[in-house]
Amino acid sequence: MERFKNDIERLSSVRFDDVDALSKQLHTHLGEPTRQELMHERTAERGVLGDLELRNIKLRSAADDPAHARLIFEVAPPSIALDEIIWEDSTIDPPHPDAPDSRASWSAQVNGAKVVLGLAADNVTLTYVSISQR
């Protein structure tokens, strides 16, 4: 768990407009940007963060401000269990009762970025990570 925490902290401190540094951290190559209305999106199929295999990596940034970005990726099984608070200011958001496919997630501010750790239906297993920098 400590290694995962450190990897997320390092990743959240990388400027998301520095695509080469971000690709290096994720052990992948983020493709050329495609325009999605007011956003640019770069993708990679696979990568690695610590001991975790990543899939469906997406970096979305504002077309007029690449530093205003969000990185999203799925964690391939086997994942890790998040059954305790990782950062002091972490909060758990329960699934929305009105949405049948809604899942719980942890969220925290890490190095000025908002980090969301999405959980599987068991409310413990990590399934995705979203990091937003503004």
Side-chain angles (χ1 to χ4, degrees):
M1 180 59 66
E2 195 62 30
R3 181 172 181 183
F4 172 73
K5 176 184 173 185
N6 292 337
D7 288 342
I8 292 294
E9 289 171 356
R10 275 192 299 277
L11 187 59
S12 66
S13 68
V14 172
R15 287 186 22 226
F16 285 0
D17 58 347
D18 187 347
V19 176
D20 292 334
L22 193 56
S23 292
K24 185 177 179 181
Q25 285 276 334
L26 297 171
H27 300 279
T28 194
H29 174 74
L30 289 162
E32 292 300 313
T34 58
R35 183 106 181 194
Q36 309 270 329
E37 296 185 25
L38 299 176
M39 304 293 284
H40 284 162
E41 182 175 275
R42 294 176 181 263
T43 62
E45 287 185 30
R46 298 186 183 276
V48 176
L49 184 65
D51 295 330
L52 300 176
E53 179 186 343
L54 310 179
R55 295 184 185 158
N56 301 320
I57 303 166
K58 295 178 184 172
L59 175 62
R60 295 182 178 143
S61 59
D64 62 343
D65 184 6
H68 181 93
R70 184 165 85 170
L71 176 69
I72 306 162
F73 53 85
E74 297 171 8
V75 179
S79 185
I80 57 174
L82 299 177
D83 52 2
E84 60 187 50
I85 292 176
I86 297 177
W87 295 282
E88 284 186 30
D89 67 341
S90 296
T91 58
I92 189 149
D93 300 313
H96 296 282
D98 298 340
D101 292 334
S102 177
R103 303 283 185 249
S105 63
W106 285 97
S107 61
Q109 289 292 320
V110 179
N111 295 323
K114 181 178 181 181
V115 175
V116 177
L117 307 174
L119 305 177
D122 65 3
N123 293 329
V124 175
T125 305
L126 177 67
T127 59
Y128 76 89
V129 176
S130 170
I131 304 173
S132 299
Q133 292 183 346
R134 305 214 180 256

